[in-house]
């Protein structure tokens, strides 16, 4: 999002975005492509309501989606405060998929932006597994193993970011932050990220 004095006005234009993320991240072992549409649906006085719809296609042919409502309001000098609520889904390997709810707060300033997001898993399907049995051994022996897939559980992430370069309709944006996720099935994860 724009971080100059006209930041609030830039939110009034629908935006279509595409991207590709390479490499592993917590719980994601595949690179993926992403497409999204951010559309204002209501703007009264200084309150702006937007819808954000995104689809994901992973290299292993699985898919995901994210749908959210964002509320933003200009406070002064182009600074914007906001909140959002999201529903996220990712297709599972052994089950129908995993669901979670996200809630976030943001402050978009003239130079820096601050964001904080909280995540809560939905439903009872936080774990899925498949058992493999191998019986091609001499003497009637068999071996079995189980492959498990888990939801990452509760967690949060936060970041600070800003515009690194801007010229006309082109700009480069950067952000750094931290994350923490816990799961009753796996170890907790804490670390940093940049984008």
């Amino acid at each position: 999002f724009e971080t100059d004095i006209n930041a609030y006005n830039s939110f009034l234009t629908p935006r279509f975005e595409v991207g590709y993320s390479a490499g592993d991240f917590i719980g994601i072992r595949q690179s993926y492509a992403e497409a999204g549409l951010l559309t204002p649906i209501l703007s009264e006085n200084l309150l702006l309501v937007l819808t954000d719809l995104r689809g994901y296609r992973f290299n292993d042919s699985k898919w995901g989606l994210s749908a959210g409502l964002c509320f933003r309001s200009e406070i002064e000098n182009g600074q914007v405060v906001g909140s959002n609520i999201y529903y996220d889904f990712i297709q599972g390997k052994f089950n129908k998929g995993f669901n979670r709810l996200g809630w976030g707060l943001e402050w978009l300033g003239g130079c820096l932006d601050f964001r904080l997001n909280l995540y809560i898993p939905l439903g009872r399907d936080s774990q899925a597994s498949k058992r493999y049995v191998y019986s091609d051994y001499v003497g009637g022996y068999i071996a079995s193993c189980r492959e498990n897939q888990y939801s990452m559980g509760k967690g949060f992430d936060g970041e600070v970011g800003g515009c690194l370069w801007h010229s006309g309709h082109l700009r480069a944006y950067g952000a750094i932050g931290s994350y923490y996720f816990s799961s009753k099935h796996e170890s907790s994860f804490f670390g940093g990220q940049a984008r």
Side-chain angles (χ1 to χ4, degrees):
F1 297 106
E2 301 293 338
T3 55
D4 59 20
I5 197 73
N6 297 314
Y8 186 76
N9 292 331
S10 73
F11 296 140
L12 300 177
T13 303
R15 184 176 306 186
F16 179 72
E17 300 173 343
V18 293
Y20 188 80
S21 295
D24 292 353
F25 190 62
I26 295 174
I28 299 175
R29 302 286 184 244
Q30 297 285 330
S31 300
Y32 62 92
E34 160 184 9
L37 179 64
L38 184 68
T39 307
I41 58 173
L42 175 66
S43 177
E44 289 188 16
N45 298 328
L46 297 177
L47 176 65
L48 176 65
V49 180
L50 304 109
T51 58
D52 187 4
L53 302 172
R54 296 181 181 276
Y56 305 92
R57 182 69 171 179
F58 296 87
N59 284 358
D60 64 356
S61 299
K62 303 295 185 203
W63 62 276
L65 66 86
S66 182
L69 279 176
C70 308
F71 307 90
R72 294 199 171 118
S73 181
E74 183 179 26
I75 48 177
E76 62 181 38
N77 299 328
Q79 298 177 41
V80 175
V81 294
S83 181
N84 59 68
I85 186 164
Y86 276 83
Y87 165 76
D88 299 318
F89 170 84
I90 188 168
Q91 184 181 13
K93 186 172 181 180
F94 311 119
N95 67 351
K96 294 179 181 176
F98 298 101
N99 303 279
R100 75 175 179 187
L101 188 66
W103 176 70
L105 295 171
E106 59 190 353
W107 179 78
L108 310 176
C111 296
L112 294 175
D113 302 335
F114 298 91
R115 293 181 177 87
L116 176 65
N117 300 299
L118 305 173
Y119 304 100
I120 301 169
L122 297 175
R124 297 182 338 197
D125 295 333
S126 63
Q127 174 184 1
S129 63
K130 182 175 182 179
R131 183 175 179 225
Y132 300 93
V133 177
Y134 304 95
S135 59
D136 295 338
Y137 296 102
V138 176
Y141 292 101
I142 64 169
S144 68
C145 68
R146 183 172 299 276
E147 185 178 359
N148 297 302
Q149 187 176 31
Y150 305 106
S151 167
M152 286 313 303
K154 300 174 184 175
F156 76 88
D157 62 39
E159 71 176 18
V160 58
C163 185
L164 303 174
W165 173 82
H166 187 256
S167 177
H169 292 292
L170 299 175
R171 71 185 185 104
Y173 185 89
I176 58 170
S178 186
Y179 59 83
Y180 173 81
F181 291 97
S182 66
S183 170
K184 62 183 177 181
H185 307 291
E186 289 283 342
S187 303
S188 297
F189 296 92
F190 176 77
Q193 61 185 357
R195 64 183 181 95

